[in-house]
């Protein structure tokens, strides 16, 4: 009789550990001494089945389906892995938002790779800002001068124009004839400068000088220092003209790289942060609109990244057509965008975003659905909020409520 009980229990245990279909164990069919062991094996069956389900979910990256029972001792290590993956997912999202302070210390070789990546991103951000600042200082130094007369002598490679106070006579030019000067766009802009200065300072007799910039019809840029001095015994305007086209182009390129998203040509996270700080300090009302494009990954995977880029650019086009000049629009992640609607109440902002969503869905139909999710946080007038990250976080949470609804709506249509 003991052999029969042992055989039933052994077969049941083997089916739990190795068989895809577990055999049924009838406790009442066992003799009394073996029933407690049979109930223990039934508990083991439940724990093993749950462990297999949870490990299968984790192997596919499905963190939401991982829900083992608290008392399941077989899932202890899996619970640790699940907690680590959850935290790592949150950290990856923070890095995508521009927070490069995130580090990982609990995943071996992956930790080193992750930490190296965030450090490189942080250094690149610092480097770009440093280059922009250095170029700005360089441009200021190039425009500066210590003394007007010393500029005429020491910087003879620059163009020097001496013009009478009434602007009618060219008294000296080291490069151009009088006709060339009078037909030069920069000279015409100089006449306008002088007229403005004369109107503003018509009662002032003291000497004065100033710096200004000009652009000619060939789109060449010049930094110009203009001042009064005596020329051959008479007062005249002396102009030191320096071409800064190359410097200006480099400065604009660096500025675009540091503050502009290259794909969409709108501002990036750095641009948004700078503008938001300016707006929030004024205390004026503003609506922070956090937008997230739906199913971009599906479009990239199904139609290619070129189509995914077109999807992003089409969204930007629709938004740009519907926002005002004073609003601020920036791309802050791969599929994440933010709009700062100035002097715009929450209800008005929601209506405007709703109109943009409708246009994005209906305009220029494609063979895939288009949509984006958004969350709006209104900041009232005379507020004391100056932390953009907190406002973005609040708007992000609101956006995810709509994101979940959109996911349900499009899941069957997209097959995702």
């Amino acid at each position: 009789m003991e052999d029969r009980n042992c055989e039933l229990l052994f077969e049941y245990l083997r089916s739990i550990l190795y068989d895809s279909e577990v055999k049924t164990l009838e406790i009442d069919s066992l003799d009394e001494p073996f029933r407690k062991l049979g109930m223990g094996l039934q508990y083991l069956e439940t724990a093993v089945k749950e462990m297999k389900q949870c490990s299968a979910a984790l192997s596919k990256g499905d963190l939401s389906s991982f829900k083992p029972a608290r008392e399941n001792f077989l899932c202890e290590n899996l619970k640790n892995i699940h907690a680590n993956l959850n935290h790592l997912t949150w950290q990856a999202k923070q890095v995508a938002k521009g927070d490069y302070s995130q580090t990982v210390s609990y995943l071996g070789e992956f930790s080193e790779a992750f930490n190296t990546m965030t450090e490189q991103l942080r250094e690149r951000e610092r480097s770009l800002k440093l280059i922009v600042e250095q170029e700005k200082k360089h441009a200021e130094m190039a425009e500066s001068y210590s003394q007007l007369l010393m500029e005429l002598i020491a910087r003879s490679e620059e163009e020097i124009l001496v013009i009478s106070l009434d602007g009618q006579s060219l008294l000296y030019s080291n490069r151009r004839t009088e006709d060339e000067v009078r037909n030069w766009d920069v000279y015409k802009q100089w006449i306008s400068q002088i007229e403005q200065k004369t109107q503003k300072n018509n009662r002032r007799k003291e000497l004065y000088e100033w710096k200004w910039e000009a652009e000619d019809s060939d789109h060449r840029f010049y930094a110009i220092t203009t001042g009064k001095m005596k020329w051959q015994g008479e007062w005249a305007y002396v102009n030191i003209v320096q071409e800064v086209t190359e410097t200006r182009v480099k400065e604009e390129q660096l500025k675009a790289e540091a503050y502009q998203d290259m794909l969409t040509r709108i501002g990036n996270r750095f641009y948004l942060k700078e503008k938001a700080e300016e707006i929030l300090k004024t205390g004026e009302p503003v609506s922070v609109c956090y937008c997230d494009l739906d199913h971009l990954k599906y479009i990239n995977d199904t139609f290619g990244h070129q189509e995914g880029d077109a999807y992003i650019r089409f969204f930007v086009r629709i938004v740009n057509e519907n926002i005002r000049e004073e609003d601020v629009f920036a791309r802050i992640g791969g599929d994440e965008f933010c709009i700062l609607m100035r002097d715009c109440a929450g209800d008005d902002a929601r209506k405007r975003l709703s109109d943009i969503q409708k246009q994005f869905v209906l305009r220029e139909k494609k063979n895939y659905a288009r949509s984006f999710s958004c969350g709006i946080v209104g900041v009232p007038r005379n507020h004391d909020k100056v932390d953009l990250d907190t406002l973005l976080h609040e708007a992000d949470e609101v956006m995810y409520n709509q994101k979940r609804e959109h996911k349900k709506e499009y899941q069957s249509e997209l097959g995702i």
Side-chain angles (χ1 to χ4, degrees):
M1 183 64 68
E2 290 182 357
D3 290 344
R4 183 185 68 81
N5 285 280
C6 290
E7 183 177 350
L8 286 173
L9 293 173
F10 178 77
E11 286 298 321
Y12 182 55
L13 176 62
R14 187 172 65 177
S15 69
I16 292 173
L17 299 177
Y18 301 107
D19 295 345
S20 58
E21 184 174 343
V22 179
K23 296 181 179 180
T24 303
L25 177 66
E26 298 292 336
I27 297 298
D28 293 340
S29 65
L30 297 173
D31 293 334
E32 184 61 35
F34 295 91
R35 290 182 181 179
K36 188 173 183 180
L37 179 58
M39 287 187 289
L41 289 178
Q42 285 182 331
Y43 171 80
L44 178 62
E45 175 195 347
T46 301
V48 169
K49 184 183 297 183
E50 191 173 56
M51 180 187 70
K52 288 181 178 180
Q53 291 172 346
C54 291
S55 60
L58 284 183
S59 69
K60 297 176 183 177
D62 182 5
L63 302 182
S64 61
S65 298
F66 183 87
K67 298 177 181 178
R70 183 186 299 272
E71 66 275 12
N72 191 336
F73 66 96
L74 294 178
C75 290
E76 287 302 317
N77 289 332
L78 292 179
K79 291 177 183 177
N80 292 335
I81 294 173
H82 178 260
N84 287 341
L85 289 176
N86 257 334
H87 185 63
L88 182 61
T89 300
W90 178 85
Q91 287 183 297
K93 289 179 179 179
Q94 295 303 109
V95 172
K97 295 176 181 179
D99 177 9
Y100 305 132
S101 64
Q102 300 296 323
T103 58
V104 177
S105 59
Y106 48 83
L107 290 176
E109 294 181 2
F110 179 84
S111 299
E112 182 179 353
F114 184 93
N115 296 339
T116 299
M117 177 192 70
T118 54
E119 181 62 28
Q120 288 173 344
L121 289 171
R122 181 164 50 245
E123 287 302 318
R124 182 174 182 273
E125 177 184 339
R126 291 173 184 167
S127 176
L128 286 173
K129 289 185 175 180
L130 179 61
I131 291 173
V132 170
E133 186 62 27
Q134 289 174 341
E135 286 297 326
K136 182 179 178 181
K137 290 179 180 179
H138 177 74
E140 292 173 353
M141 291 176 61
E143 295 172 358
S144 66
Y145 65 99
S146 59
Q147 187 179 13
L148 198 55
L149 185 57
M150 292 301 296
E151 291 282 2
L152 291 172
I153 298 172
R155 303 182 69 174
S156 59
E157 71 277 3
E158 297 168 341
E159 190 161 356
I160 310 298
L161 299 176
V162 183
I163 304 172
S164 61
L165 289 182
D166 60 9
Q168 299 301 312
S169 302
L170 177 65
L171 305 179
Y172 174 79
S173 173
N174 64 339
R175 293 190 183 177
R176 301 173 191 262
T177 67
E178 185 168 355
D179 287 341
E180 287 174 339
V181 170
R182 293 189 181 280
N183 291 322
W184 192 25
D185 299 321
V186 174
Y187 173 74
K188 296 173 183 177
Q189 294 175 50
W190 179 85
I191 292 294
S192 177
Q193 282 270 333
I194 294 302
E195 290 175 351
Q196 293 176 21
K197 290 289 181 181
T198 301
Q199 292 173 4
K200 186 175 181 180
N201 303 283
N202 56 358
R203 294 185 180 179
R204 297 175 60 185
K205 301 299 183 183
E206 69 269 23
L207 303 182
Y208 63 92
E209 54 196 46
W210 69 95
K211 295 180 179 182
W212 56 288
E213 294 187 352
E215 178 184 3
D216 65 18
S217 56
D218 295 324
H219 301 295
R220 305 195 71 79
F221 297 92
Y222 302 89
I224 304 167
T225 300
T226 297
K228 276 185 179 180
M229 67 173 291
K230 277 196 172 182
W231 179 265
Q232 296 180 349
E234 295 183 7
W235 286 104
Y237 288 111
V238 177
N239 302 274
I240 304 172
V241 183
Q242 179 187 18
E243 185 175 342
V244 292
T245 303
E246 184 177 349
T247 301
R248 174 66 65 84
V249 170
K250 285 183 179 179
E251 184 179 320
E252 290 300 320
Q253 288 175 341
L254 288 170
K255 185 177 180 181
E257 186 176 352
Y259 293 99
Q260 187 181 71
D261 176 60
M262 292 297 101
L263 174 64
T264 62
R265 300 298 177 183
I266 63 174
N268 59 14
R269 178 175 285 273
F270 306 126
Y271 169 80
L272 176 70
K273 187 173 182 62
E274 185 175 289
K275 289 295 182 182
E277 288 177 354
E278 294 175 5
I279 295 170
L280 291 173
K281 285 178 182 177
T282 67
E284 68 178 271
V286 61
S287 288
V288 180
C289 310
Y290 192 102
C291 303
D292 190 296
L293 283 173
D294 295 330
H295 46 260
L296 176 61
K297 183 179 184 302
Y298 164 78
I299 294 172
N300 282 331
D301 293 344
T302 307
F303 302 97
H305 285 269
Q306 187 173 358
E307 183 63 29
D309 290 346
Y311 183 61
I312 293 172
R313 285 194 294 266
F314 181 74
F315 167 75
V316 170
R317 188 182 115 200
I318 294 297
V319 173
N320 276 329
E321 289 176 358
N322 287 274
I323 61 176
R324 304 162 301 176
E325 185 177 351
E326 63 267 27
D327 294 333
V328 177
F329 182 31
R331 185 184 185 192
I332 58 177
D335 53 6
E336 299 165 319
F337 297 81
C338 181
I339 308 169
L340 302 181
M341 294 186 178
R342 305 182 69 167
D343 197 16
C344 181
D347 290 341
D348 189 23
R350 278 184 279 275
K351 182 180 182 303
R352 290 171 61 190
L353 259 295
S354 179
D355 291 340
I356 293 173
Q357 284 180 311
K358 290 175 184 176
Q359 290 187 46
F360 186 58
V361 170
L362 299 175
R363 289 261 294 273
E364 299 179 18
K365 288 288 189 178
K366 300 286 278 187
N367 54 348
Y368 53 80
R370 282 194 298 244
S371 71
F372 69 90
S373 304
C374 63
I376 300 173
V377 173
V379 182
R381 187 180 298 278
N382 298 325
H383 60 84
D384 58 355
K385 296 180 182 294
V386 293
D387 186 0
L388 175 64
D389 291 335
T390 299
L391 293 172
L392 286 176
H393 180 70
E394 293 175 3
D396 186 22
E397 290 184 343
V398 176
M399 180 276 296
Y400 263 100
N401 292 329
Q402 190 176 89
K403 190 80 170 176
R404 282 189 286 269
E405 294 301 318
H406 283 181
K407 186 174 182 181
K408 293 176 184 177
E409 183 178 347
Y410 289 104
Q411 205 164 25
S412 59
E413 181 178 348
L414 297 177
I416 58 176

